Each structure stands twice: as structure tokens, then as C-alpha cells.
Amino acid sequence: MIMKDMNRRDFMKIVGGATATTGLAACSPKRTIDAGPAPTNQGPVPTDKMTYRTFPGFVDEKISILGYGCMRFADIENVPHEGKNPLNQDAVNKLIDYAMEHGVNYYDVAPVYSQGYAERATGNALKRHPRDKFYVATKLSNFSDPSREVAMMLYNNSFKNLQVDVIDFYLLHMIGGGGMEQFNKRFIENGMIEFLKKEQERGKIRHLGFSFHGDIACFDYALKMHDNKEVKWDFVQIQMNFVDWKHASGFNTPAEYLYGELEKRGIPVVIMEPLLGGRLSNVPQHIVSRLKQRDPGSSVASWSFRYAGSFPKIMTVLSGMVYMEHLQDNIRTYSPLKELTDEEKQFLYDTADLMSQYPTIPCNDCKYCMPCPYGLDIPAIFVHYNKCVNEGNVPKSQEDPNYTEARRAFLIGYDRSVPKLRQAAHCTSCNQCTPHCPQNIRIPQEMQRIDKFIENLKQNTL
């Protein structure tokens, strides 16, 4: 999980962040975000019916089942400048104000989001509201340098950026990335877990937890620490949705196991990636028809959010809501939440079985792979490819009935979605990206495969 070619000065300057990327066109007119495409349900948006969760040990805390994931604020249209804040603060304020007005009180961010500016933007927006009306969560994102110096810098800066005296929910960020070796370096050998426990004792942190991607040995070890009373995890954040329940890809672990281990210990769960970075709302048309036939009045995304909230130990479900229509649709879904029946859950598991037959790349558009040292827009390339797979615009050969239309849609959409200098052809296979991918995608190999496919389309040699 260490970017070996980045020195500490560079890391402390940009805090390991990601670059804003260009929106999709043709195959996808707008970059897919965690909330997915614009919903069709345009009913009223309730202001006083949000579902809240409470748990033993949480003193008088009612957490909105809809949590605001503040990772993707960089996708709000603005004019980014190299080395300068890419975020539109007014747009962030508008979204957070609307969320607050409609009952959302949990806001999740991290020092590495949006080139390191997301914490500051979130803090600027939240400080305009009474402190007792929201809960803020942030993380120890010491991926690139596990030294205590950097860890303490990140920790202290979070208070300054968020403009709070107490952090409600503090997480060890993405344990599992890099395996047990990195877990020990990032949290044990530098004494940070012991430090955070003391910070919790003196009231600077209200609840301590971790988020997980990657090596299951780290997850199991962290829970063993909990069982042995070395540390008490008040909550844990996992990737969970109806596909990952049994069909987790790469080195990810099925959510059925993750949730089950937390449930039997009574640990509240925060869900991330309920839509797999938008892939569960940008589904093939036959899947859309399947969901619409079952419930014509609901958006495709609402199925995933209802699923995510229908487990008793779920504290909140994070969504990276960049567009107002996504925020409104999610508020409708959770105001109040109508939990899925067992039969409806099985309907979604059967849907996941169907979806597993389609060869999409498991990219969640998190941008942890960015910036690419050679300028590639890795997430945009994957998002465009996946969108075209779902729309049937990835022909296998010239014998396909829709070859001409699919070829044109893929190539035109690719040039509109990804500037030529940022396309897969420029990948050098340096592999700096792969260690940072939570989904463990073999990024250089996928870039080569996509580039070869594109060249075959251009030359009409498929």
C-alpha cells in the first residue's frame, strides 16, 4: 500500500489524494456516481420521516440510516487547477444543507478524499449548522507513510479541517490493504492504536472503528483484538450490497461473512459501496426490466438502498451523493425505510446471480489509483467500458448483429469520455496503481486488454 516513488514531502503536501476526472459521454452522458443515474421517481421529499438507528452503548445517539459519503465531492463540476482546491464549496454547502434539512445527520470523509480538500469542504459546510445536529466520521489514511509523524499530522489536521473539538466516529482507514505487514506498520508498530484509545478516553474521539478492504486476515485479526479486549471496536465499516453478499470480486471477502462476524459480536455496521460505485444502478436493460416489473414506481438504486438498510446491525448506509436528484431519491427511500422481506432479498440474490454472468470490471470509481504518473484517467476508462458492457456495446466479433452500432458507440463514447492523452494506450505498466486498488484489480493488464480491444475496433479486425 506504499507509493514507493512518492517522498514524504509530496505525501504531506497532497495527502495521497485523487484527481478530479472527466465525465462520460455517448455510452454514458454523465459520470456514474455511487447514487447512479437520475431516478424517475419524482414524488415529494419528506422532511420529517427519516429512519434512525440506535445501539447499546451509544448514549442518546440516533444515527440516520442514510449517511453522506463525502468522497466524491470532486465530481461536482468546477474548474480544477493543478495544486489548487478542485471543489465548489457553494455546491457542497447546498447539498449538505439539503441533507441536514431532510434528516441526514451522519457525514463520512477522509484526509485523502478529493486531493485532500474534502475534509475542509465538509467542515466548512457543517460548521454552519449546530454541532449537536450532526455526527462526523473521518479516518487515519496513512497509506503512503506509516510513520507516527505522518499519522499524527493526519489526525491533528482532521480536527482543524473539520473545525470540531471532538470527532464522533474515527476509523483506521482500509485495514486489509497490504495485508498484516502494513496493518502492523500503520497501526501497531507506530503506537497509533494505543494513542487513539487514549484519545477516546479523554473525549477527543467518541467512537473508534475501522474500515475494511482486502486481506481477510487483517479483518479477523482486528476482531480477535476486540475479543481479547485489546481494543473495543464501537463500529466497523464494510463493503456490502446484494452482489457482494456472495459474489465479492478479486480479493474482497463476501459480505455475508463480514456482516455475520460483526453481528454475532454485536458491533454496529456502516455500509460503503451499496451501489458498487454506481454499477448496481447502471445495470443491463434486462436487469432494469426485471426490477421495474417487480416495482414499477421505484428507482433501480432504491432496491440496493433498501437491501442495505434491511439488516438489524446496520447503523448507516453511505452514499456519495453528488447530484441533488440522487440525494432526493435516497431520502425518499429512507423516509421511512421499508425493509425488504426475505422473499425480496432472495429476488435480489437471484438478480446478482444473473449479473455475475456479465464481464464488467469491478471498479467502484473511488479514485484511490489516482493520480497516475503518466496521466491516465483510470476510473473513467473503466466506467466507460463497464457502461458499454451493460448496454451491449462491447461486440465480441464482426459477426455480432449490432457490431456496427456497438463499434461506433464504444469508440465515440471513449473519445468523448477520456481525453486522448489520458487513454489506456498510454499505460506503461508501471503498476503504481494496483497496490492502492481496494478491489484488487490488475489495472495494467486491464488497460492492455482494453487498449487491444479498442485498436481492433479501430482497425475493424475484431
Side-chain angles (χ1 to χ4, degrees), residues 86-119:
L87 302 186
N88 183 328
Q89 186 67 56
D90 290 339
V92 173
N93 291 350
K94 181 179 179 181
L95 288 165
I96 288 183
D97 288 352
Y98 191 91
M100 293 283 290
E101 291 166 5
H102 291 79
V104 179
N105 66 10
Y106 189 95
Y107 297 84
D108 172 271
V109 70
V112 295
Y113 295 165
S114 300
Q115 302 180 42
Y117 290 100
E119 269 193 335

Side-chain angles (χ1 to χ4, degrees), residues 443-460:
I443 294 174
Q445 289 88 335
E446 293 291 354
M447 288 292 138
Q448 293 168 11
R449 182 175 68 85
I450 291 172
D451 183 53
K452 182 178 179 181
F453 172 74
I454 290 168
E455 284 303 309
N456 286 336
L457 285 182
K458 289 180 177 178
Q459 301 298 325
N460 256 323

Side-chain angles (χ1 to χ4, degrees), residues 155 159 165-168 196-207:
Y155 176 75
F159 287 91
D165 296 321
V166 176
I167 293 174
D168 301 296
L196 294 174
K197 286 166 58 178
K198 292 178 181 178
E199 287 293 275
Q200 186 176 21
E201 289 174 2
R202 74 186 192 98
K204 296 296 288 182
I205 297 170
R206 297 181 68 186
H207 301 290

Side-chain angles (χ1 to χ4, degrees), residues 310 339-349:
S310 295
E339 294 187 9
L340 294 181
T341 64
D342 290 342
E343 191 274 334
E344 287 173 319
K345 285 183 181 178
Q346 187 57 53
F347 169 75
L348 288 183
Y349 295 142

